[in-house]
Amino acid sequence: MPQLDPVFSESLPFQAPILARSLVQLSTSFGGFFVTCAAMYLCVTVSLWIALPLSVIAAGFLVRIFIIQHDCGHGSFFKSRRANGLLGTVCSLMTLTPYAFWRRQHARHHGSWNNLDRRAASGLDIYSSCMTVAEYRALNRWRRGLVRVTSHPIVANLLLPPIVFILLYRTPFDAAKGWKRERYAVYLTNLGLAGLLGGLGLVLGYGRVAAVQLPIMIVASIVGVWLFSIQHRFEHALWSPEGSWDFTAASLRSTSYLHLPRVLQWFTGNIGFHHVHHVNPRIPNYRLEECHNANVALQSVPKLTLYAAVKGLRHTLWDSDRECLVPFRSATAGLRSVAGLQDLKNS
């Protein structure tokens, strides 16, 4: 990270964690999650339909716990590295996301975000990367269809997220050969989950546990993946080749400033200030807004509204000519135009 960058330099006063604020966030997030889960366990004995609405609230607290895990991975929640590691591991038993494995994977993302020449190093490409219009047009019809199906908002943002968190994260699916510690972390997390869920099942009944925990995880994973997607794949997000990739431009133009209502901002741990997070990942989530308000350069970043964020799910291909992300229909229209010109030449 360039130490002399002025935007980064102005963020330095905000990267120190404040113990009291960390502890308050920890207590409200875990406390809210456990209280809501307890209420669901009581309600589900009466009716599943009474308990299900509470799963949305519990999922909100779980997203907030994931943000704490995310901060621990950046070493920003506590000053102590050991405390961050311990808390991150505890969070992973709630989020079903192996802490050490995800931390290494996410660090790789921070080294290559919105870099067209380093997209393979971004982890879950379907969410943190994009395909260019030229690459899409070069595919045969069958592969273009497959890409469109897997990238459709219903598939990518509703069906796949629970599979990723509940099943895919049970394996070191994206681990490099040298990631021995991270591989062990996946298996240890699985053992911890087996003990935790197994113990709950013995006490409360496995059907009851599934009726409470599955809806929470499904909702939280959908919200979490949507947040991760929109942070780098919105219509006017900048994508650059390696030669022209720049830290400041990538922080201010390749990441979103998602302006959320206050209650959603609270549940999502201020992750809407994602441009600030990429300027300096060591800033705790509860200080991101403070840093944003103190830095004129950060305030000049265009806001992404909630409506635009939902609409932006269809912007999946990078158009180098227009320098923006476009829907598949734009690339398809181009293919038809090329085919029409080719027919004219052959006639």
Side-chain angles (χ1 to χ4, degrees):
M1 182 177 292
Q3 298 295 314
L4 299 179
D5 183 271
V7 180
F8 172 75
S9 297
E10 290 188 35
S11 74
L12 289 175
F14 303 94
Q15 72 175 22
I18 301 172
L19 180 60
R21 294 183 68 177
S22 292
L23 292 177
V24 167
Q25 187 176 63
L26 188 62
S27 61
T28 56
S29 301
F30 275 87
F33 180 71
F34 290 143
V35 167
T36 311
C37 284
M40 287 186 68
Y41 279 114
L42 291 174
C43 290
V44 80
T45 59
V46 179
S47 171
L48 176 62
W49 299 108
I50 297 176
L52 280 179
L54 292 174
S55 66
V56 177
I57 300 174
F61 285 113
L62 189 58
V63 169
R64 194 165 164 82
I65 290 172
F66 189 90
I67 297 300
I68 293 175
Q69 179 177 336
H70 168 262
D71 276 12
C72 289
H74 285 292
S76 64
F77 200 73
F78 291 127
K79 291 181 180 179
S80 166
R81 181 178 179 181
R82 179 174 294 180
N84 281 314
L86 178 61
L87 177 57
T89 302
V90 172
C91 289
S92 72
L93 296 177
M94 305 294 108
T95 65
L96 309 189
T97 308
Y99 172 68
F101 172 69
W102 186 87
R103 180 184 60 187
R104 185 79 177 264
Q105 190 184 57
H106 188 64
R108 192 169 56 180
H109 161 75
H110 270 268
S112 61
W113 84 92
N114 288 47
N115 187 323
L116 289 170
D117 295 323
R118 299 180 64 188
R119 284 171 289 169
S122 298
L124 288 169
D125 285 342
I126 190 174
Y127 300 115
S128 64
S129 188
C130 72
M131 179 178 285
T132 67
V133 169
E135 290 166 346
Y136 175 74
R137 289 175 177 172
L139 299 175
N140 59 44
R141 182 174 297 181
W142 185 87
R143 292 191 66 189
R144 284 200 302 270
L146 181 62
V147 169
R148 293 193 69 158
V149 168
T150 55
S151 300
H152 192 281
I154 292 178
V155 175
N157 293 278
L158 292 180
L159 301 181
L160 290 182
I163 294 175
V164 170
F165 282 86
I166 296 173
L167 298 179
L168 197 56
Y169 274 135
R170 308 283 65 78
T171 66
F173 66 97
D174 195 34
K177 290 183 178 180
W179 291 16
K180 292 183 178 180
R181 180 184 175 188
E182 288 75 15
R183 289 176 184 273
Y184 290 142
V186 174
Y187 304 134
L188 288 175
T189 301
N190 290 344
L191 286 174
L193 288 171
L196 178 62
L197 295 175
L200 277 174
L202 286 174
V203 175
L204 302 174
Y206 292 104
R208 194 175 173 192
V209 170
V212 170
Q213 301 303 144
L214 277 178
I216 294 172
M217 195 64 224
I218 289 171
V219 175
S221 64
I222 290 171
V223 173
V225 164
W226 172 72
L227 286 169
F228 186 57
S229 299
I230 205 62
Q231 287 163 4
H232 298 282
R233 281 182 20 179
F234 51 98
E235 182 177 3
H236 296 292
L238 174 68
W239 287 79
S240 306
E242 177 74 23
S244 58
W245 191 92
D246 175 76
F247 170 79
T248 302
S251 298
L252 301 182
R253 296 182 57 200
S254 300
T255 57
S256 64
Y257 168 26
L258 179 59
H259 188 64
L260 294 170
R262 275 290 170 181
V263 65
L264 296 183
Q265 181 182 324
W266 188 87
F267 274 112
T268 58
N270 298 303
I271 200 62
F273 295 94
H274 203 62
H275 58 304
V276 184
H277 171 64
H278 269 275
V279 164
N280 188 345
R282 294 299 299 272
I283 299 176
N285 72 84
Y286 51 76
R287 303 198 71 182
L288 292 175
E289 183 177 15
E290 182 184 357
C291 181
H292 169 86
N293 292 336
N295 192 318
V296 176
L298 294 175
Q299 294 172 31
S300 66
V301 176
K303 291 182 182 179
L304 189 64
T305 65
L306 185 58
Y307 172 76
V310 174
K311 184 180 177 182
L313 291 174
R314 292 188 175 276
H315 292 82
T316 52
L317 299 173
W318 172 253
D319 190 324
S320 57
D321 295 327
R322 296 166 59 182
E323 294 191 339
C324 66
L325 289 173
V326 298
F328 284 111
R329 63 174 179 270
S330 297
T332 305
L335 279 172
R336 287 196 294 265
S337 299
V338 172
L341 289 173
Q342 189 65 40
D343 290 341
L344 286 174
K345 289 180 181 180
N346 294 335
S347 60

